[in-house]
Amino acid sequence: MGNTEAVFFSRVLTELTLSFHIIYATIGVGVPLMIMIAQWVGIKKNDEHYILLARRLARGFVITVAVGVVTGTAIGLQLSLLWPNFMQLAGNVIALPLFMETFAFFFEAIFLGIYLYTWDRFENQKKHLLLLIPVAIGASASAVFITIVNAFMNAPQGFDVLDGELINIQPLVAMMNPAMPTKVAHVLVTAYMTSAFVLAAIAAFRLLKGSNHIYHKKSLFLMMKLGLVFAIATAIIGDFSGKYLAEYQPEKLAAAEWHFETQEGAPLVLLGILDGKEIKYAFKVPYALSILAHDNPFSEVTGLNDFPEDEVPPLYIHYMFDGMVMIGMFLLFLSIVYVFGKVKKFKFVSSRWLLWVVVMGGPLSVLAIELGWWLAEVGRQPWILRGFMRTSEGATTSEHVDIMLVLFAGLYLVLGVGSIVVLRRMFRNNPVEQELEDRHAEKGGDFS
């Protein structure tokens, strides 16, 4: 196997691992906040349904954490095996956030364990709620630190290279790179948004399948409200991300928008087909790209023709950008319609067709997360460390990456199917109605 094939299979395996891991990582970041909010609302309203929601979410969360640990470990292993040259260079500069990410995970896991095993030990639920604060902080901190590493790959700084040797290494400067603020903020709010819409989809699905229990209705409304808040935040931070790209990675923005000629008042290109450099069947929004890039409809946006051909990212990232943005706008519109209709008590909110649309929102939000990561990683090509090391220079020359690809693909298949089976059995064998009856018997109150 030549180096070209080793690079290809290394990229495919890394993409496969990240694509699988990001699902569990997103849930791992977002669900702890949903658990904390649900329990807080239950305490504030003295409503056992929200308390039970937090309890059931915490049980399921443990399964996703376990799978996330396995896939996260696989990523660490693959970084060393598949990208040794990159790790040799970058490891000296950006190892600090990698260590801090591990610390944040253990911080989260310790308090999650205490939280789970002390459910009925606290007479005062507020004290139990306090345990969720470090869980949510640890989960989000893990995402912050690992995203800092990815941001460094897009905007490396904090070191100098002299005669092939690294000098003047400054880990904190490397961490505070220009890509860090927008990337970290975008990862966090999209994780919260996606988790909210996934949990809303589950509640809507249970209602569609005949369970008319108030528990699912309360869960659905709460998650749609949270989805609305974080969808708005995602749109705002997405705008900041566009401005970051215009200043620091203009070739990525131009490729995502099929913007070839540098011009003022640049339009935003939606959909379409590329024939050479001719764009067909696309919708063009006048001045929108200039507004996204510089907040000025008449500002100049650099085109792809001004960059060396060997530094231009693959142009198919345009579809990833479009898909991510269109799904985000759809989820924002859906949450506005649902929450407004629920507050105004419109009948259509309970209609089956709208519930099915909410169910669609769950997998669509996960797809948007995937498209966003593919856009981030493919859009950085041909660089693994922008401006310093190309992807082909950072990869292994091993002849056995194709075998690793097959083995890891089998592992992810087993983990994916296994986690779904375990979660289904966990909640099917312990339905809400039965759990409420059991707690009613224990406490002598009526919670149904």
Side-chain angles (χ1 to χ4, degrees), residues 258 269-284 318-319:
W258 287 350
V269 177
L270 296 174
L271 303 177
I273 296 174
L274 198 60
D275 183 7
K277 290 187 177 181
E278 182 184 357
I279 303 170
K280 298 180 178 178
Y281 315 116
F283 299 97
K284 294 187 178 182
H318 171 76
Y319 297 111

Side-chain angles (χ1 to χ4, degrees), residues 168-289:
N168 300 330
I169 295 174
Q170 303 174 71
L172 292 180
V173 174
M175 290 175 64
M176 299 298 130
N177 60 77
M180 186 272 288
T182 53
K183 267 196 169 294
V184 166
H186 195 69
V187 164
L188 288 178
V189 296
T190 52
Y192 302 147
M193 181 192 77
T194 300
S195 297
F197 281 113
V198 167
L199 296 176
I202 293 171
F205 186 76
R206 292 299 303 136
L207 291 170
L208 283 166
K209 289 301 178 180
S211 177
N212 202 35
H213 203 285
I214 188 66
Y215 166 90
H216 297 299
K217 295 178 181 178
K218 289 179 178 179
S219 173
L220 175 57
F221 188 36
L222 174 63
M223 293 305 160
M224 289 302 286
K225 285 189 289 186
L226 293 172
L228 172 59
V229 170
F230 292 118
I232 293 171
T234 297
I236 294 171
I237 294 169
D239 180 67
F240 288 127
S241 298
K243 289 165 179 53
Y244 160 78
L245 290 178
E247 184 172 354
Y248 293 98
Q249 290 181 276
E251 74 284 356
K252 186 174 181 178
L253 180 65
E257 279 304 311
W258 287 350
H259 181 64
F260 292 97
E261 298 291 339
T262 298
Q263 68 179 94
E264 297 177 354
L268 190 72
V269 177
L270 296 174
L271 303 177
I273 296 174
L274 198 60
D275 183 7
K277 290 187 177 181
E278 182 184 357
I279 303 170
K280 298 180 178 178
Y281 315 116
F283 299 97
K284 294 187 178 182
V285 184
Y287 307 106
L289 183 57

Side-chain angles (χ1 to χ4, degrees), residues 193 196-197 200 220-233 327-343 348-349 354 357-358 361:
M193 181 192 77
F197 281 113
L220 175 57
F221 188 36
L222 174 63
M223 293 305 160
M224 289 302 286
K225 285 189 289 186
L226 293 172
L228 172 59
V229 170
F230 292 118
I232 293 171
I327 292 173
M329 291 297 102
F330 167 76
L331 293 174
L332 176 59
F333 177 74
L334 172 63
S335 56
I336 290 173
V337 169
Y338 186 90
V339 172
F340 181 77
K342 190 73 173 178
V343 170
F348 76 87
V349 172
L354 184 60
V357 175
V358 173

Side-chain angles (χ1 to χ4, degrees), residues 7 44 50 70 84 87-88 110 121 140 148 154 156 163 174 196 209 217 234 242 274 316 359 365 370 377 394 436:
V7 172
K44 186 179 179 182
Y50 292 106
V70 176
M87 288 302 293
Q88 185 177 4
I110 289 168
R121 305 288 179 90
S140 295
I148 285 175
N154 287 274
D163 298 328
K209 289 301 178 180
K217 295 178 181 178
T234 297
L274 198 60
Y316 63 80
V359 170
S365 64
E370 296 283 13
E377 299 307 293
L436 283 167

